[in-house]
Amino acid sequence: MLDKILNYRLLPAVIWLGLVLLAMLSPGDKFPSTPQIPHKDKIVHFGLFFVLNLLWMRVWVVEASKDKKFLKLFTSYLVFGIIFAILVEYLQLYVPNRSFDYYDIAANMLGAAVGVICFYILYKMDSKLV
């Protein structure tokens, strides 16, 4: 039963991780032109990491005992909110028409942090979303 739950939760998290990597490491000139919205790239970074962290916490919290849940939430933010955010931004230095930007890292980390908070609230409310 636990395997079914983990697979049901793991697949969306892995797919989203792949999409985030594809979006963040694709050459900048490969994106279609979009309407000019102020700071739209920061909004995209925020959203990508918000969903990424939310999905991975769904995977990790199932297998955690009650006293380890906070540690799992913190680990999720540490890995996807800080380490992964910096690593992906650094790798953009080697992608054509992409650049390293500290504000993108901040948007990534903020999105991940808000994802943790939202997950925690939904979890405490016994929401079916988590």
Side-chain angles (χ1 to χ4, degrees):
M1 178 72 173
L2 184 61
D3 290 338
K4 274 187 162 181
I5 292 171
L6 285 177
N7 288 336
Y8 167 72
R9 291 168 181 253
L10 185 60
L11 185 60
V14 170
I15 290 171
W16 190 259
L17 178 64
L19 290 173
V20 168
L21 285 171
L22 181 66
M24 302 286 262
L25 300 178
S26 293
D29 58 352
K30 300 295 181 194
F31 294 103
S33 62
T34 57
Q36 292 300 320
I37 300 170
H39 309 294
K40 70 180 172 194
D41 65 321
K42 305 306 178 254
I43 296 167
V44 170
H45 281 263
F46 177 93
L48 289 172
F49 277 78
F50 172 83
V51 173
L52 181 67
N53 224 29
L54 209 63
L55 290 174
W56 278 102
M57 286 190 308
R58 287 183 70 232
V59 172
W60 288 340
V61 81
V62 168
E63 64 184 41
S65 62
K66 274 199 176 238
D67 51 339
K68 301 244 183 196
K69 293 217 188 286
F70 178 78
L71 182 60
K72 293 288 184 177
L73 294 176
F74 179 74
T75 302
S76 176
Y77 177 67
L78 181 66
V79 171
F80 290 110
I82 298 175
I83 297 170
F84 188 67
I86 294 169
L87 177 64
V88 168
E89 197 61 31
Y90 174 76
L91 291 174
Q92 286 184 355
L93 287 171
Y94 304 101
V95 178
N97 298 318
R98 296 302 290 260
S99 61
F100 180 90
D101 185 357
Y102 288 108
Y103 292 115
D104 286 347
I105 292 174
N108 296 346
M109 290 171 35
L110 183 61
V114 172
V116 168
I117 293 166
C118 287
F119 179 86
Y120 185 74
I121 291 168
L122 291 170
Y123 182 77
K124 286 295 184 183
M125 293 172 40
D126 287 328
S127 172
K128 300 246 186 253
L129 296 174
V130 296

